[in-house]
Amino acid sequence: MTKTALITGATSGIGWATAVEFAKKGIQLILCGRRQDRLDELKTELSPLVPVTTLNFDVRDKDEVFKAIDSLPNSFKTIDILINNAGNAHGLDPIDEGSLDDWDAMMDINVKGLLYISKAIIPSMRDRQSGHIINIGSSAGKEVYPKGNVYCGSKHAVLAITEGMRIDLNTYGIKVGAINPGLVETEFSKVRFKGGSQADNVYKGYKALQAEDIAEAIYFAVSRPPHVNIADMLIFPTAQASSTILKKEV
Ligand code: NDP
Ligand code: 8X3
């Protein structure tokens, strides 16, 4: 039977690539994000392959989140797979210099936004006793690096929440897991550095992961047989050994 996946942050990077990968595999799609032009573009690209609908909302706004999920047409209401991907780093500053607005953005989007979406979708999975939730964490959820403070905190929270979800939803047969990438070449650094020139250097001098690499890992996780749950996956580019050890060509 055709499965339905809801992907947050589908307008860019890992979310976009995951939508493309899922469409190729016949999974019908609910694409979410704030940039309607990109949602429309992706819908046009993927509609020849699978049914696609879009939802435009900010994950920080809990009323918008619940309204959006409620507004889904009947044929998209049964969500089998939830990919909690929307998120970003905002800033890279020592803790004494960090911006309160950046901290709010990271905690509100990466942590609370993920919770709002999950709360809107989990009850129907629980009632059906089936479903699969994948939270996009990060290597920053497993270790802390200089100036990463609050972003790392938000991703550590994502991993703790993932474990909590897996424990509490175990009784309903719902799969929960985290995919944790290292450096992936997306718009992530443009957002982190607010379009500044620092972003240009992040992926220079080595081959970073591409969004498609992570999309393939996500598809691997969702395509395992019913008795297999990929609980946690950490993926680095070959050039990266940890958050702070990166082999760059000079
Ligand atoms: P991108 O910046 O390319 O994509 C981020 C996505 O999140 C966009 O689609 C954006 O959509 C969406 N988003 C951001 N803020 C909001 C919001 N307030 N409401 C709704 N949607 C929002 O980055 P990536 O693809 O790299 O990041 C995806 C996930 O992967 C994030 O959780 C990130 O932390 C994680 N990650 C990234 C790594 C990397 O090196 N790139 C490594 C490890 C983890 P829109 O602006 O249209 O709303
Ligand atoms: C994104 C990877 O190293 O910039 O989560 O934190 S990193």
Side-chain angles (χ1 to χ4, degrees):
M1 212 180 71
T2 307
K3 290 203 166 174
T4 301
L6 182 145
I7 304 174
T8 65
T11 56
S12 174
I14 294 168
W16 180 293
T18 302
V20 172
E21 181 70 17
F22 279 14
K24 284 189 209 155
K25 300 299 189 329
I27 298 174
Q28 78 163 358
L29 294 165
I30 303 162
L31 306 175
C32 308
R34 292 167 301 175
R35 285 169 287 183
Q36 189 61 48
D37 54 335
R38 295 213 186 172
L39 291 173
D40 292 342
E41 183 189 335
L42 191 54
K43 182 179 174 180
T44 304
E45 181 182 325
L46 301 183
S47 287
L49 300 176
V50 286
V52 179
T53 192
T54 67
L55 293 176
N56 183 329
F57 61 90
D58 187 324
V59 295
R60 284 173 290 196
D61 184 328
K62 50 169 111 70
D63 292 336
E64 270 191 44
V65 168
F66 283 88
K67 249 189 240 161
I69 302 301
D70 272 355
S71 75
L72 282 167
N74 279 339
S75 57
F76 287 91
K77 275 203 192 300
T78 303
I79 297 167
D80 304 290
I81 301 165
L82 165 60
I83 309 293
N84 272 319
N85 165 73
N88 278 114
H90 292 263
L92 183 71
D93 302 295
I95 196 76
D96 52 312
E97 292 173 18
S99 135
L100 290 177
D101 288 343
D102 284 345
W103 294 357
D104 279 344
M106 290 185 279
M107 299 313 279
D108 289 350
I109 300 167
N110 303 357
V111 183
K112 290 166 69 185
L114 178 150
L115 286 171
Y116 298 158
I117 293 278
S118 303
K119 177 76 175 161
I121 292 171
I122 285 171
S124 67
M125 289 183 169
R126 177 198 59 205
D127 295 348
R128 297 194 316 273
Q129 308 244 320
S130 99
H132 195 162
I133 302 169
I134 295 202
N135 296 328
I136 305 305
S138 170
S139 51
K142 294 186 173 279
E143 52 181 328
V144 179
Y145 53 85
K147 303 181 187 175
N149 43 66
V150 177
Y151 178 67
C152 295
S154 76
K155 289 298 182 176
H156 275 68
V158 169
L159 286 200
I161 289 164
T162 303
E163 287 179 26
M165 284 180 176
R166 190 164 54 246
I167 291 164
D168 294 345
L169 301 178
N170 169 270
T171 188
Y172 305 115
I174 297 171
K175 295 187 190 187
V176 182
I179 306 280
N180 305 291
L183 290 154
V184 191
E185 191 170 1
T186 62
E187 293 176 10
F188 179 87
S189 293
K190 283 192 191 123
V191 174
R192 168 169 254 176
F193 297 113
K194 305 173 202 320
S197 57
Q198 277 169 288
D200 300 337
N201 291 322
V202 176
Y203 310 109
K204 279 200 183 137
Y206 70 101
K207 177 74 175 174
L209 290 168
Q210 302 299 297
E212 293 72 19
D213 298 320
I214 305 305
E216 284 179 9
I218 294 170
Y219 180 70
F220 175 79
V222 303
S223 58
R224 292 311 83 208
H227 68 289
V228 179
N229 180 33
I230 305 295
D232 191 88
M233 205 190 273
L234 174 63
I235 309 167
F236 280 128
T238 304
Q240 187 178 16
S242 74
S243 288
T244 51
I245 299 179
L246 182 63
K247 183 172 180 278
K248 283 201 182 202
E249 303 301 329
V250 277

